[in-house]
Amino acid sequence: MKINRTTVLAFFLTVMTSPCWAWMAGFASEPLVTSEDLTDKRKVFLAGYGVLGNREASGIHDDVFARSLYLSDGKNTVLIVSLDAVGYSQTLANRLRTALASELQLPEENILLSATHTHSSIDLQGIWGSIDEKQADAITNRVVKSGKAAAANSKPARLMLGLSNQGKGYNRRLKSSDIIPQVLSLNITGTDGKPIALLFSFGSHPVALDKDNLAVTSDWVNFSRNQIEKELGTKALFINGSLGDVLPSLDGKPNDVRTFEFAEEYGDLIARTVIQANKESRVLNSHLAYCREPLPLEVDNLKVIALTKGLNNGTIDWTSLTDTTLTTTASVLVLDKLVIMSVPGEPVTQLSQTLMAKVPDYDRAIFSLTHDSLGYLIPEDDVGRKDGYEETFNLNPRFGTELSNAIDRLLKQCLGSQLQTQITR
């Protein structure tokens, strides 16, 4: 049979210009902590347990990273940056976004900074030992290098979304296995078939190791990423989900074992769920919408106010010694029919269930510790439990309500007026 070259060319152009192939994507990573950092006269303090813990790092078990993913549909662009850290101060976050925006010629608002929340990495939040100016410069340079390379590496791509409800964990607030079990897999490949990166998300504290560990590590996240990269041959980037009251557990029950062996076992479990979700994935057509909203908040948690003002290092950007107000950010990112709600703290399960129920006709996900790292996010009607650990770092009983209302507005803005009737409270 004779093949018509004009027909073949027309078919090729149709495929390559169809919506699902119109994405641009790029990935890059840089280490956040190096062996040279540990031999420097300046100490590297690990963050995450107690207050003012001053756990000095004794070595590196596995590299911790700044991992960047550049995404564009040709009209709208975002840069997602995942830091292997418990969180980051508002001052450092602003510094990173400003530097990235300048290098990439991208609005600061379009940079989604997030933290994996490992409790065994350098203290970027400023509560457990903090970093000095030289360390902040080094961190900024590494993060910018990662973001800049991700943008430079971008090429035509295809996005495949996979979802599974097989994630495991223990809910310390509800003392049950009631968590958000959803594991998200967003596999990104070039139009040439070569892998670019896989973004995965699940809500659980990276605390398979306890305060006695003094080695730099991304905790169970390290083992998940390694297994995904080994099995699928692509680089993996992790964004934490509804983690506020969720601890690692293989069976939904409390776990007293805190070892690297347990971290590996739990990390492998999450990786297997991601890999299974990827097998059942579907193509996302090229449509990116991104909406964000400044969120002012009056802080009335006196312990948090006293701690952060006493540290005086930018953990929260207070404008004066007497000021108790701050401004944070909430956002919604839409990738085709996937709706991602990005929140500036650690939402507990009940609040995440409320947020996800707002758009029942869409695939949806929660990205936590994005934009800011401002403690726990709790439904207003559940604040005040006598045994509620999360209340310790809840900035205001209405924080959850204010955030939920902002997400309502952002969903309506980002999904379009014709879809407003599908948004439920």
Side-chain angles (χ1 to χ4, degrees):
M1 183 179 72
K2 187 176 181 179
I3 299 175
N4 186 303
R5 294 178 62 184
T6 302
T7 302
V8 171
L9 179 60
F11 174 78
F12 178 80
L13 290 174
T14 299
V15 171
M16 294 301 291
T17 57
S18 65
C20 65
W21 289 101
W23 293 102
M24 291 289 291
F27 172 85
S29 70
E30 288 290 326
L32 274 183
V33 179
T34 68
S35 56
E36 287 77 14
D37 294 329
L38 298 185
T39 58
D40 198 301
K41 293 181 181 179
R42 296 165 177 80
K43 296 179 180 181
V44 171
F45 292 108
L46 304 182
Y49 290 109
V51 175
L52 304 176
N54 293 338
R55 293 159 57 218
E56 184 180 351
S58 61
I60 297 177
H61 176 272
D62 52 89
D63 288 332
V64 291
F65 295 96
R67 297 195 170 198
S68 298
L69 177 65
Y70 177 93
L71 281 179
S72 176
D73 68 351
K75 296 180 180 179
N76 299 302
T77 300
V78 294
L79 179 73
I80 301 172
V81 181
S82 173
L83 304 178
D84 280 325
V86 77
Y88 39 82
S89 70
Q90 285 196 304
T91 293
L92 180 63
N94 291 335
R95 179 173 180 168
L96 294 177
R97 284 188 289 261
T98 298
L100 284 164
S102 176
E103 285 289 340
L104 275 65
Q105 297 300 297
L106 189 68
E108 289 186 33
E109 294 81 4
N110 289 43
I111 297 168
L112 279 72
L113 194 65
S114 187
T116 64
H117 203 57
T118 172
H119 282 43
S120 295
S121 182
I122 188 169
D123 177 20
L124 303 183
Q125 198 163 354
I127 298 177
W128 296 273
S130 194
I131 54 176
D132 63 21
E133 184 60 25
K134 181 179 178 181
Q135 290 170 318
D137 277 342
I139 293 293
T140 302
N141 290 337
R142 292 164 188 171
V143 172
V144 169
K145 188 175 180 180
S146 169
K148 188 176 180 180
N153 294 340
S154 65
K155 61 182 183 179
R158 181 173 71 164
L159 273 58
M160 299 288 292
L161 172 66
L163 297 171
S164 168
N165 286 315
Q166 300 302 311
K168 302 292 184 182
Y170 172 67
N171 189 318
R172 67 183 175 193
R173 189 172 180 83
L174 302 180
K175 297 179 175 56
S176 73
S177 61
D178 182 17
I179 67 168
I180 302 287
Q182 177 177 283
V183 176
L184 177 147
S185 164
L186 186 64
N187 198 359
I188 306 163
T189 58
T191 55
D192 55 7
K194 294 181 179 180
I196 294 176
L198 185 146
L199 184 156
F200 70 106
S201 181
F202 170 65
S204 179
H205 269 71
V207 291
L209 300 158
D210 63 15
K211 63 183 179 181
D212 293 331
N213 171 60
L214 299 180
V216 173
T217 173
S218 54
D219 205 273
W220 64 259
V221 176
N222 166 63
F223 297 100
S224 287
R225 286 192 305 224
N226 287 349
Q227 189 64 20
I228 291 167
E229 292 177 354
K230 178 182 177 181
E231 290 285 331
L232 300 180
T234 187
K235 291 296 185 180
L237 174 147
F238 175 69
I239 304 291
N240 221 318
S242 181
L243 77 158
D245 48 9
V246 181
L247 300 178
S249 170
L250 300 172
D251 57 7
K253 298 177 182 179
N255 172 69
D256 295 327
V257 178
R258 310 288 286 278
T259 63
F260 277 105
E261 289 74 18
F262 171 63
E264 183 173 10
E265 192 173 7
Y266 186 71
D268 286 351
L269 181 153
I270 301 304
R272 289 196 301 272
T273 307
V274 172
I275 292 165
Q276 183 59 42
N278 179 65
K279 291 179 181 178
E280 302 167 2
S281 60
R282 64 175 180 83
V283 174
L284 291 183
N285 289 326
S286 179
H287 168 68
L288 188 156
Y290 177 63
C291 305
R292 65 184 295 280
E293 179 178 311
L295 185 61
L297 184 72
E298 177 73 29
V299 181
D300 66 359
N301 186 322
L302 297 180
K303 291 182 180 178
V304 172
I305 293 172
L307 172 65
T308 55
K309 286 183 181 289
L311 292 170
N312 192 32
N313 60 8
T315 302
I316 293 178
D317 279 344
W318 303 114
T319 58
S320 70
L321 187 62
T322 58
D323 182 37
T324 56
T325 61
L326 60 82
T327 299
T328 186
T329 300
S331 68
V332 166
L333 173 64
V334 179
L335 305 176
D336 191 17
K337 295 299 183 182
L338 171 64
V339 176
I340 299 168
M341 291 162 272
S342 295
V343 301
E346 303 171 55
V348 300
T349 298
Q350 289 170 296
L351 180 61
S352 295
Q353 289 170 336
T354 298
L355 295 179
M356 292 176 74
K358 293 177 183 292
V359 278
D361 296 329
Y362 289 80
D363 293 321
R364 62 270 203 224
I366 305 292
F367 280 7
S368 298
L369 295 162
T370 307
H371 306 299
D372 277 317
S373 308
L374 295 176
Y376 294 102
L377 306 171
I378 309 170
E380 188 174 354
D381 60 5
D382 194 51
V383 174
R385 287 174 176 254
K386 292 181 179 179
D387 59 347
Y389 168 79
E390 293 76 20
E391 275 78 357
T392 306
F393 291 99
N394 174 238
L395 301 189
N396 183 308
R398 283 190 53 80
F399 196 178
T401 299
E402 298 296 337
L403 173 66
S404 181
N405 292 340
I407 294 294
D408 279 333
R409 295 187 292 270
L410 289 165
L411 288 170
K412 292 177 181 178
Q413 176 186 348
C414 227
L415 292 176
S417 57
Q418 71 276 19
L419 300 175
Q420 289 188 27
T421 57
Q422 297 184 28
I423 301 172
T424 61
R425 288 181 179 272

